[in-house]
Structure formats: C-alpha cells, structure tokens
Amino acid sequence: LLGLPVTLVGDRGAPRAARDVVLYNPELDEESGDRDSAIGDAARLYAQLVERGTPTIVFARSRKSCELIHRIARDQLTARGLDEQAARIAPYRAGYTPEERRATEQALAAGDLVGVVATSALELGIDIGTLEASICVTYPGTMTSLLQRWGRAARSSTMRGLCVLVAGDDALDQYFMRNPDELLERDVEEAVVS
C-alpha cells in the first residue's frame, strides 16, 4: 500500500497500574420496567468519588449530558455542604473557547481540579495529570474508544485505578451487563485504511 517498509506496533505502550473494572447497571423498577438514569447514577458516583478526593474523569456522550452530569454532581456536593469540592470540578467540551479548555486542562494537571466531566474532546492527546478514576456513561460504540477513555485513569504505576462503565438502557449496553466477558475479552477494532 505504501511501497515502504513498515513496523508493526502491536503492544500498548502507555504506562498504567492495576485497575478495578466495574460494570454498573442502573437499577430497574420491576413494576414500571423503567431503569434509573445512567446520567443521574453517573453523577452520583462522580460526586461520591470527588467527595473522597479521588481525581476523576467522567466521559459523557453529548455536550448536554456533560453539562447535566456536572450540574447534578455540583448540586449534590453543595447540598451536603461540600462547597470546596463543588468548586473543584468542571465540565470540558467542544463549544468552550480554546482558552477556557486550556485553563481546565492546566487546572487538572496542577491538581487544582479534582474532577472533570468531558465529551470525547478530552479523549486523546492531552496531558491532564494523574487521575485515579474514569467513568464512561454508556458504551461509546467501540472498544478502542472505551479503552482510550478508561486509559485516562491510573497512568502512574504507583496507584490503583478505577474504571467504570455505567450502562444505558439500550440493547447493547444491557447485553454487556448480562455478558460481561463479551465486553472485557473483546478485541479492539481493526484499523481500516481505504
């Protein structure tokens, strides 16, 4: 294809420590058949981790859900009298100015923020310091993306990380909740060049 010699890079080279992986399925109301909100449960988990001082990133699927998770978590922290922790979390998404996004990145790297809720805008290539937990709100559609998001936690070999997938109500998320090995042993997608 290229007419040049190539070298296979087949191993992950990023540093990482041991991780605990949690597949979290929001509670199902047996009477109504409705499942609790993935957004609400992710915000609650996020607030609990921030309250404990655990540096955490939450990946949301959309700008709207990013802002909603941030607001719910901030309100929960404030309601518990944890104004200082509530002031140390931020949203991060496309739509903010480059200066606003850089300021958030720098605050995370410096440890001034203990948590951030982001869209895929923060998935790749940005050094944001040491995070201990990564929460992915619903399956992002590919293993590559899920592993990239989970890979933001526990990049240092000295800490143990927490990686969480909060399931949505859709069929694929629920399939993975019933068949966790299908997710955890799944290969990453092949890269296709056309």
Side-chain angles (χ1 to χ4, degrees), residues 20-74:
D20 294 312
V21 173
V22 175
L23 303 182
Y24 180 92
N25 202 8
E27 191 172 329
L28 180 67
D29 183 318
E30 297 296 334
E31 286 184 27
S32 69
D34 294 332
R35 188 168 300 283
D36 287 350
S37 162
I39 289 173
D41 281 6
R44 184 175 50 78
L45 292 171
Y46 176 47
Q48 290 172 348
L49 288 165
V50 167
E51 182 176 352
R52 291 182 177 93
T54 304
T56 303
I57 187 167
V58 179
F59 284 101
R61 297 283 296 253
S62 67
R63 294 177 189 184
K64 182 179 178 181
S65 60
C66 174
E67 293 290 344
L68 188 56
I69 291 167
H70 171 73
R71 189 177 75 226
I72 292 169
R74 186 192 64 216

Side-chain angles (χ1 to χ4, degrees), residues 4 24 41 45 47 51 75 78 96 99 128-129 153 161 170 183 191:
L4 301 168
Y24 180 92
D41 281 6
L45 292 171
E51 182 176 352
D75 290 350
T78 301
Y96 290 133
E99 293 79 22
I128 52 171
D170 65 76
L183 175 69

